Amino acid sequence: MTILPPLPGPPLLPVPDPRGRNIVLDYADMHALVADLVLPDGASMYVTSALEASRELLRHSYYQYEFATAAVTHSLFALEHVLAERLAVDEPLQHLIERAADTGLITSRLATELDRSRLLRDQLTQGTASSAALGQAQGVALVGAVFAAVGLLLHSPAAATATATATMTAAHRSGAAPEERLAALWQDHRRALYPDGFRGVNIGSVELILVDADAAGLVHRELHGGLDDDGIAALWACIADLDRIVPLITSAYCAGYFAQLRTLARLAAAHHLPTAI
């Protein structure tokens, strides 16, 4: 057996990937980012392994941005396995997702999110998308959809649906505290699909996908420890950009998506005065 000699010098420490700097402040914050990705009870070893690997890929995307995309595609192994077992058919993933929605096993909205992940996987296979196609926040949202779907498929639909909608209901309760509404609306926004056809689009001198990532990252920081002065200033700048672009967006879905993001940002900034210029 050939034994390779040790590398000279001390082992190299991983370096944070600068492309994720707007999502979290440090690696410890990645734990909070994936905290809601809880492995469902009763899953087989295969499904548990695939989901756990997806969650850890997201966690370590702090060091390698492309891991977020890898996490989404890897989670589809678990989804396809559970769908085929529950539906007792052997069909392509697209058909399995459609069948699950048609029979009421999952909601149509969840089916749309799952199909978004499937399309990404197909684009990677065809070479029309790169492994840097998704950021961490988007990766968490899509992997979260797979975790939710697997939970629904493995357990009582009524109980799983009640759990999945509890946070949404809290956001719209008239008596809910601002902190509750912020947390609930944040969960809702994380599940929302970024508008198709609006990547790389600039409206009113604002790059849509960048203001989406910046605002979402700042809201996450406010929810997990609070913003410093620089963060507060950046959040109010995002709100100003969103105020300017929302009336200019002609797509109904895209306008709704960014209007919701503006509401989320305003809730996060509610206790902070904008920095005087």
Side-chain angles (χ1 to χ4, degrees):
M1 180 178 64
T2 302
I3 300 176
L4 295 176
L7 294 174
L12 297 176
L13 295 176
V15 178
D17 194 315
R19 290 171 291 179
R21 66 185 183 279
N22 291 325
I23 302 300
V24 296
L25 290 176
D26 52 36
Y27 179 68
D29 286 343
M30 294 301 296
H31 305 322
L33 194 65
V34 302
D36 292 334
L37 301 179
V38 179
L39 296 171
D41 294 331
S44 67
M45 184 178 295
Y46 175 85
V47 171
T48 298
S49 175
L51 292 179
E52 187 172 28
S54 300
R55 184 183 63 195
E56 295 312 303
L57 282 167
L58 284 170
R59 197 193 307 270
H60 288 87
S61 65
Y62 177 78
Y63 297 111
Q64 186 65 43
Y65 191 78
E66 285 80 2
F67 284 1
T69 300
V72 174
T73 57
H74 196 84
S75 71
L76 295 181
F77 295 145
L79 176 66
E80 191 163 8
H81 181 86
V82 173
L83 280 171
E85 189 174 69
R86 181 67 187 270
L87 295 167
V89 293
D90 182 14
E91 293 182 348
L93 180 56
Q94 180 180 2
H95 296 164
L96 292 173
I97 293 171
E98 291 171 354
R99 278 180 178 268
D102 290 342
T103 55
L105 291 174
I106 58 175
T107 65
S108 57
R109 177 173 179 176
L110 185 55
T112 300
E113 294 182 351
L114 297 174
D115 202 52
R116 179 74 173 273
S117 297
R118 179 196 63 82
L119 287 170
L120 173 62
R121 183 193 64 181
D122 292 349
Q123 290 167 352
L124 288 166
T125 302
Q126 297 158 7
T128 57
S130 77
S131 294
L134 292 178
Q136 289 132 325
Q138 295 166 307
V140 169
L142 291 179
V143 171
V146 172
F147 270 71
V150 170
L152 285 166
L153 292 163
L154 291 178
H155 303 106
S156 165
T161 300
T163 300
T165 58
T167 303
M168 276 284 291
T169 303
H172 301 289
R173 291 203 314 259
S174 58
E179 294 80 6
E180 291 179 302
R181 289 189 286 121
L182 175 60
L185 190 59
W186 168 243
Q187 294 300 325
D188 188 32
H189 184 74
R190 284 177 56 187
R191 298 186 187 100
L193 296 174
Y194 186 85
D196 284 332
F198 286 87
R199 298 182 186 281
V201 172
N202 184 300
I203 294 179
S205 301
V206 175
E207 190 81 17
L208 297 188
I209 200 165
L210 292 182
V211 74
D212 178 47
D214 289 345
L218 290 163
V219 169
H220 180 265
R221 284 166 55 185
E222 172 65 12
L223 282 166
H224 298 86
L227 293 169
D228 57 17
D229 290 344
D230 289 341
I232 293 167
L235 182 58
W236 278 106
C238 287
I239 292 170
D241 286 342
L242 291 164
D243 285 343
R244 186 164 70 254
I245 66 172
V246 168
L248 303 177
I249 300 173
T250 56
S251 163
Y253 179 82
C254 186
Y257 178 92
F258 281 96
Q260 182 188 58
L261 179 63
R262 178 176 60 182
T263 300
L264 182 63
R266 286 175 173 173
L267 276 173
H271 298 302
H272 304 295
L273 293 175
T275 304
I277 299 175

